[in-house]
Every structure is written in structure tokens, then in C-alpha cells.
Amino acid sequence: MRHESLVNEDWKNVVARLGGVETLNVTARETKAFLRPREITNAVDLLRVILAYCLGERGLRSTAAWATSVGLVDISSVALLYRLRQCGDWLALLVGQMLAAAAPQASRGRIIRIVDATTVPKNGADARKKNELWRIHSAFDLPQERFGHFELTDQQAGETLDRIPVVAGEIRLGDRAYLQPDRMASVIEAGGDFVIRAGWKSACWLDGKGNVLDLVAELRKAAARRLIDRPIWIKRKSGEPLALRLVAVKKPAHAAAEARRKARRPPSAEAIRYPSKRSTRQIG
């Protein structure tokens, strides 16, 4: 959407794409963005003014003046700021609906959540000496494109796939640090699915008969096809092996060369002093 769409016939098309006048009125009331008419008499006009401010280069005063000049609404900059502050949840809902409509069919109706964690050093000389950290665990929800969960721990609490409560039907995305068979089983039992990156030696891989599978050999056999898409099982500390689907795509030559270069690069002084607990070597 461009700013020009707010001042010409394209605006009617924008309203239609967002569900129409009635839908906008309903969602604005549900999210408490528009409860009763004052200066602005309906949700469609409210949205037009808000987007004029968000998409344009004008400030609050200039936007209010523009709205008056085009006969849309006579509103002060203070009143416009108040309206803007009430519209966060409504705009998030509208953006989420648009993103969901463009999502692949397989993911529609399901929450896609990216889970990860980051660390912040604790303050104080003693804490720095002991390498003490704050760890922030988070889940970023798609297609709403907003964080749906945060949890703060210290360095004693590691990254675990099932730390964040599962929403039934969700698809959880994680990097190779989350390849944790028992935790993965917990996510499945709670009604979720997941897609996780995997290193070739990150788990004990098994075939359908329970025999150990040489994953490197499988990758080499598939070099000509450049693709593996097959059932696979992972051994667990407790319980039956976990049945999964393995998908592997051969890297392009330039990406493989870059991965080899990084793998062979000597560690920096900082890396030697503060070794990563989950560093792995990537094979291109």
C-alpha cells in the first residue's frame, strides 16, 4: 500500500481487500479502536486518517490539516494522537489477516512460531568474572509478526524446545540447538508440530527397523538428486524412538564454499575465552 492509495479511487479497493466496511467496523469495535463516534464517525475514516499518518511523511499536525482539507474529518493533532494510541491491536489484527491470506495453504489456520533465545551479561564485576548471564527466551508468532511469549531466566536454564507453552495446532520453528528428542516428543504430545534444523551428528538417527542410520552416507547417495525427503527415527533417552520426516537440500556451490571457509576459520580470541556450548561444524 502506498500513501497515494489514501487520496484516490484506490482507497475503495484497499477497504475491500481488508474485508469491507462492515468488517472494519466490527474489528475496530472488538479491539476497542473505535467505540463511539466523536470527531470521526466510522472505522473506515479512522483507518484512512491513521494510515495517512503512518504511510506519509507528515507529522500529526499536518496529517490533521490534510484530513480537514480533503473533507474527511476535522480533528486536532492531540485527538489524532489519542486515536493512534488506541489502534495498535486493530492494526496488528488487520496486518495479521493480510499476511494469513497470502500464506501457503498448508499453514493457513495454524500458528507458526519461531522460538529462540538471546543472552545479556549480568551487571557487576563478580557476575562478569563468573560469566553470569540473563537468558531471554521468546516466541515470535507468524503471520501476526509479533512476539507472543517471553521468559527471563539466568544462565542455569538452557534453551529447550518445550519451555514455551504449546498452542494446539502450532508449527514451531527452531535452530539446531533445539534438536532435543524428548522435548520434541513433548511438543507433539501437546498438539504441536515443529521444523528444526539438524546437524549430521546432532542425534542418533535410526531407520524403520531401529538400526543406526549413517546420515552422511545417505547424504552422499542423494548427491545427484540434491534432495532427501524420507521418514526417519531419532533415538530418545526414554520412550520409543521418535518418528520424523527428514528433508535435506544440497547447498549451491557458492554457499557450500562459504560454509567450508567458516568451518576452517581459526577461532577468534573472544571465542577461545568464551567457548560456545553449542558450536557445531557445518559440512557444505
Side-chain angles (χ1 to χ4, degrees), residues 181-242:
D182 290 319
R183 306 283 187 176
M184 293 154 69
S186 297
V187 171
I188 294 174
E189 291 168 1
D193 291 317
F194 49 77
V195 178
I196 300 176
R197 293 188 64 192
W200 64 273
K201 59 179 181 179
S202 301
C204 181
W205 307 97
L206 306 174
D207 61 20
K209 297 180 180 180
N211 300 317
V212 175
L213 183 71
D214 187 342
L215 187 56
V216 173
E218 291 294 311
L219 293 172
R220 287 171 177 162
K221 286 192 295 184
R225 292 191 298 119
R226 308 177 67 87
L227 172 69
I228 293 179
D229 188 345
R230 54 157 293 171
I232 201 168
W233 286 257
I234 293 182
K235 187 176 181 180
R236 297 170 56 190
K237 292 181 180 179
S238 60
E240 295 295 320
L242 191 62

Side-chain angles (χ1 to χ4, degrees), residues 100-112 143 169-171 193 195 245:
Q105 186 65 42
S107 66
R108 292 184 184 176
R110 306 183 68 181
I111 299 176
I112 300 176
E170 74 166 83
I171 303 173
D193 291 317
V195 178
R245 175 186 175 191

Side-chain angles (χ1 to χ4, degrees), residues 38-267:
R38 290 180 179 174
E39 303 92 346
I40 301 177
T41 59
N42 59 76
V44 174
D45 287 349
L46 171 62
L47 181 63
R48 191 173 182 181
V49 175
I50 294 301
L51 291 181
Y53 172 73
C54 294
L55 299 178
E57 298 179 354
R58 302 181 180 94
L60 288 169
R61 290 183 179 179
S62 297
T63 301
W66 166 82
T68 301
S69 68
V70 299
L72 183 61
V73 60
D74 187 0
I75 191 172
S76 69
S77 59
V78 175
L80 177 58
L81 177 60
Y82 172 79
R83 291 286 192 172
L84 182 64
R85 287 174 172 172
Q86 306 306 309
C87 287
D89 290 341
W90 187 36
L91 294 178
L93 175 65
L94 296 178
V95 171
Q97 290 174 345
M98 294 297 294
L99 291 171
Q105 186 65 42
S107 66
R108 292 184 184 176
R110 306 183 68 181
I111 299 176
I112 300 176
R113 311 179 80 193
I114 305 172
V115 296
D116 205 352
T118 188
T119 57
V120 178
K122 288 186 178 181
N123 194 22
D126 187 58
R128 289 196 296 271
K129 184 177 180 181
K130 297 178 181 178
N131 290 331
E132 293 182 348
L133 303 167
W134 292 115
R135 181 168 280 119
I136 305 169
H137 309 266
S138 63
F140 188 72
D141 298 348
L142 300 173
Q144 290 83 4
E145 292 196 346
R146 62 190 302 179
F147 284 97
H149 186 93
F150 282 107
E151 182 175 340
L152 180 65
T153 67
D154 61 14
Q155 73 279 355
Q156 300 298 325
E159 298 178 57
T160 56
L161 186 67
D162 59 348
R163 173 178 297 281
I164 294 170
V166 175
V167 176
E170 74 166 83
I171 303 173
R172 185 164 294 198
L173 310 183
D175 60 26
R176 65 185 66 195
Y178 293 97
L179 190 70
Q180 305 157 348
D182 290 319
R183 306 283 187 176
M184 293 154 69
S186 297
V187 171
I188 294 174
E189 291 168 1
D193 291 317
F194 49 77
V195 178
I196 300 176
R197 293 188 64 192
W200 64 273
K201 59 179 181 179
S202 301
C204 181
W205 307 97
L206 306 174
D207 61 20
K209 297 180 180 180
N211 300 317
V212 175
L213 183 71
D214 187 342
L215 187 56
V216 173
E218 291 294 311
L219 293 172
R220 287 171 177 162
K221 286 192 295 184
R225 292 191 298 119
R226 308 177 67 87
L227 172 69
I228 293 179
D229 188 345
R230 54 157 293 171
I232 201 168
W233 286 257
I234 293 182
K235 187 176 181 180
R236 297 170 56 190
K237 292 181 180 179
S238 60
E240 295 295 320
L242 191 62
L244 302 172
R245 175 186 175 191
L246 174 68
V247 178
V249 180
K250 187 176 178 62
K251 285 186 174 183
H254 67 278
E258 178 63 14
R260 293 189 187 98
R261 185 189 68 79
K262 290 182 178 180
R264 293 165 181 162
R265 183 174 55 193

